Amino acid sequence: MFKHYLNAFTVVFAGLLLFFSTNLPAQDKTSCDYSIPGEVLNWNFGDKAQLTFSEETNTPLSFAMPGGIDIPKGVSSISDAEGNLLFFSDGMRIWGSGYYEIANGSGLQGNLLANQSAIFIPSPGNPDKYFLFTADMYIPPVYTNGIRYHVIEKVNYSWTVTEKNIPLLNQNAQKLAAVKHANDEDYWLVGHGFGENNGGRYFAYRVMKDSISTEAVISQTGFVHSGDYNNNGGYMRISNNGQKIALAVPDAGVIEIADFNSTNGTISNTLSSSAGRFNYPIGIEFSPDNNMLYATTNPLDGSPNILYQFDLRQSDLNNPTQIASFAQSDNRQLGALQLAVDGRIYVGSFGQALAPYDYLGVIYNPNRAGNACNFNYLEGNQTEGLTLNGSGSKEGLPNFVSSNFDIPSFWWQNHCATHITTFRLQNEANNGTVTWDFGYNNETNNQLRGEYT
């Protein structure tokens, strides 16, 4: 057993030289390496805000995008496998890596004020093709475009929208979530209905190489999204292991969780809070280990905005832990929640009338119960969260395929025989002491595995 006090050291063990570190210069990758998913390393959102994450740094790089790009609510970003920004969209336009609209990238029939207006999904096995799914609000007779998809392809070395506004679902809620299929090749795109006809239904669409199954897998279960059109909003997330799905129904004051089957797309065993238990819940997100669920509220009646934590190892959604509360007079409202590759959950923050806020809230240790999750607490000090350096947060944060956050708690580089192996922690925040415990095979004198606590 080796203890690491946030500095690097080496040890010779069973003929293999191991190098333990939490913050090292980049090294050349080999075929033996694990790499964090590059597709989710760039976040574009809010008032010109972009975050760029990497393996080598503990804090994402924050900067202001050029131009007057303003994305107040729903948004999605996607990068290539190496972490180079490809596109981002508010559901009505698609911008490329140069922060300009790509060819034929306008006129999309989503809605930039929908909570989850967009999500990108790669075409499995085809790096030159992507799908964008968009959601409108369902408020007839004005907002009735529903959930649609659009095809982006590389044409003569330039990204172009080759098909757009292909309908999938009408009478929909503003909810889009995606996760890898159990075959680890295809994807599931999940939406939810709204109103008397569809309000009690989840709709799962299989995304395959070069095609989308437009016949949804329908699961009729859970709280019915109907009545006040504010029940059309709220966020929906799938856990990064593909086993759970959760959502918020704002005006009804409901938070719901269910089992998700990533083999056949069905949703079952739904558990809902009591109606009215929460005052306008909005944001939803799972912890990296999928044991905790977080939710934000953003009441319309002037009541405080609250951040809640639910321990999913218990079955009661009506008695969560209150992590933080912001009075309306604080001029800091809470919106979307989004897990990042650094193992932290970021919290959309904004002022009155969607005024941009200079910081994102940060849940530094979301796997930990209660206040040990360290919302805006880093190394024992209270913080404002993550500064955005000249840009601003609003209600929304980028919507991603959740499987990209199924990241081991530590990863490695150069673990081929005779190589110097470097281990990296996913989340270093508030770790005074990290214990490395390596299994040992007495018959072969070989290292078996490594874990940290």
Side-chain angles (χ1 to χ4, degrees):
M1 181 175 294
F2 308 105
K3 290 187 177 180
H4 167 51
Y5 296 90
L6 295 185
N7 57 354
F9 64 91
T10 59
V11 59
V12 177
F13 179 62
L16 182 67
L17 184 62
L18 303 179
F19 193 87
F20 300 84
S21 176
T22 59
N23 192 6
L24 290 172
Q27 300 180 29
D28 292 336
K29 295 294 183 71
T30 74
S31 60
C32 295
D33 297 334
Y34 172 84
S35 295
I36 59 176
E39 290 82 355
V40 292
L41 294 186
N42 292 289
W43 295 21
N44 306 78
F45 60 96
D47 179 23
K48 307 186 296 293
Q50 180 168 326
L51 300 182
T52 298
F53 295 81
S54 73
E55 289 183 330
E56 284 76 32
T57 59
N58 305 325
T59 303
L61 174 66
S62 171
F63 62 91
M65 293 184 285
I69 297 174
D70 183 21
I71 309 174
K73 289 195 176 185
V75 62
S76 183
S77 302
I78 193 166
S79 304
D80 64 20
E82 286 71 44
N84 302 302
L85 177 65
L86 292 175
F87 327 108
F88 57 100
S89 175
D90 61 2
M92 302 179 75
R93 298 161 290 182
I94 303 173
W95 291 271
S97 58
Y99 309 102
Y100 52 83
E101 290 182 12
I102 67 172
N104 202 27
S106 61
L108 310 185
Q109 294 177 353
N111 192 313
L112 58 81
L113 296 180
N115 284 137
Q116 290 177 291
S117 63
I119 190 166
F120 289 99
I121 298 180
S123 175
N126 185 350
D128 293 334
K129 186 173 184 177
Y130 289 81
F131 299 105
L132 172 65
F133 296 84
T134 58
D136 192 9
M137 298 183 283
Y138 182 66
I139 308 177
V142 179
Y143 301 109
T144 59
N145 287 325
I147 294 174
R148 297 174 180 254
Y149 76 90
H150 322 268
V151 181
I152 308 161
E153 297 181 271
K154 189 174 282 188
V155 179
N156 295 327
Y157 306 100
S158 179
W159 291 108
T160 301
V161 178
T162 55
E163 299 178 77
K164 64 183 178 183
N165 295 322
I166 304 168
L168 281 179
L169 174 67
N170 204 344
Q171 301 180 30
N172 63 294
Q174 304 168 33
K175 295 178 166 73
L176 293 173
V179 72
K180 270 286 186 78
H181 189 283
N183 65 15
D184 202 36
E185 294 181 2
D186 302 335
Y187 295 85
W188 290 107
L189 181 282
V190 182
H192 200 286
F194 180 79
E196 294 182 1
N197 295 327
N198 286 337
R201 298 174 176 176
Y202 291 84
F203 296 80
Y205 300 88
R206 187 169 174 178
V207 180
M208 299 166 287
K209 184 176 182 180
D210 297 326
S211 66
I212 296 168
S213 176
T214 56
E215 292 295 323
V217 176
I218 300 175
S219 299
Q220 186 147 352
T221 184
F223 189 85
V224 177
H225 295 41
S226 63
D228 190 290
Y229 284 115
N230 286 316
N231 285 332
N232 189 282
Y235 287 79
M236 179 170 69
R237 300 288 190 207
I238 302 174
S239 61
N240 65 64
N241 62 8
Q243 297 179 10
K244 296 286 185 181
I245 189 168
L247 56 77
V249 191
D251 191 71
V254 168
I255 290 171
E256 177 172 290
I257 190 166
D259 292 337
F260 181 75
N261 187 319
S262 61
T263 298
N264 59 29
T266 59
I267 291 154
S268 60
N269 300 322
T270 308
L271 179 66
S272 303
S273 70
S274 300
R277 169 62 183 85
F278 301 99
N279 194 345
Y280 213 84
I282 292 287
I284 287 285
E285 184 58 288
F286 290 90
S287 62
D289 67 2
N290 303 297
N291 287 326
M292 302 293 177
L293 181 72
Y294 291 86
T296 57
T297 67
N298 183 234
L300 303 180
D301 61 5
S303 300
N305 285 230
I306 296 175
L307 173 65
Y308 290 105
Q309 181 197 71
F310 302 80
D311 189 335
L312 299 181
R313 293 165 293 192
Q314 304 172 11
S315 60
D316 188 1
L317 288 181
N318 289 310
N319 292 292
T321 300
Q322 180 175 313
I323 300 299
S325 176
F326 293 92
Q328 294 283 349
S329 58
D330 293 336
N331 199 31
R332 184 170 189 178
Q333 300 183 57
L334 302 180
L337 295 159
Q338 179 59 58
L339 179 63
V341 294
D342 60 7
R344 304 167 193 181
I345 292 176
Y346 291 85
V347 185
S349 304
F350 57 102
Q352 297 291 334
L354 285 176
Y357 197 77
D358 295 339
Y359 292 84
L360 283 179
V362 186
I363 306 171
Y364 283 98
N365 305 99
N367 290 339
R368 300 179 188 175
N371 288 328
C373 73
N374 287 313
F375 173 66
N376 285 358
Y377 271 87
L378 183 61
E379 310 306 337
N381 297 311
Q382 186 172 9
T383 73
E384 287 289 312
L386 177 70
T387 180
L388 293 178
N389 293 323
S391 61
S393 168
K394 292 194 173 182
E395 182 181 303
L397 290 173
N399 196 11
F400 295 108
V401 175
S402 59
S403 313
N404 286 317
F405 302 102
D406 188 15
I407 296 173
S409 56
F410 73 91
W411 61 83
W412 55 92
Q413 191 170 333
N414 296 323
H415 77 295
C416 296
T418 73
H419 286 187
I420 297 176
T421 299
T422 301
F423 290 87
R424 298 181 184 276
L425 294 181
Q426 181 193 28
N427 188 351
E428 299 177 36
N430 302 298
N431 282 326
T433 301
V434 178
T435 300
W436 298 85
D437 185 358
F438 290 88
Y440 192 76
N441 187 323
N442 290 324
E443 294 181 2
T444 63
N445 290 330
N446 287 327
Q447 169 202 359
L448 294 178
R449 56 183 167 78
E451 297 177 354
Y452 85 91
T453 58

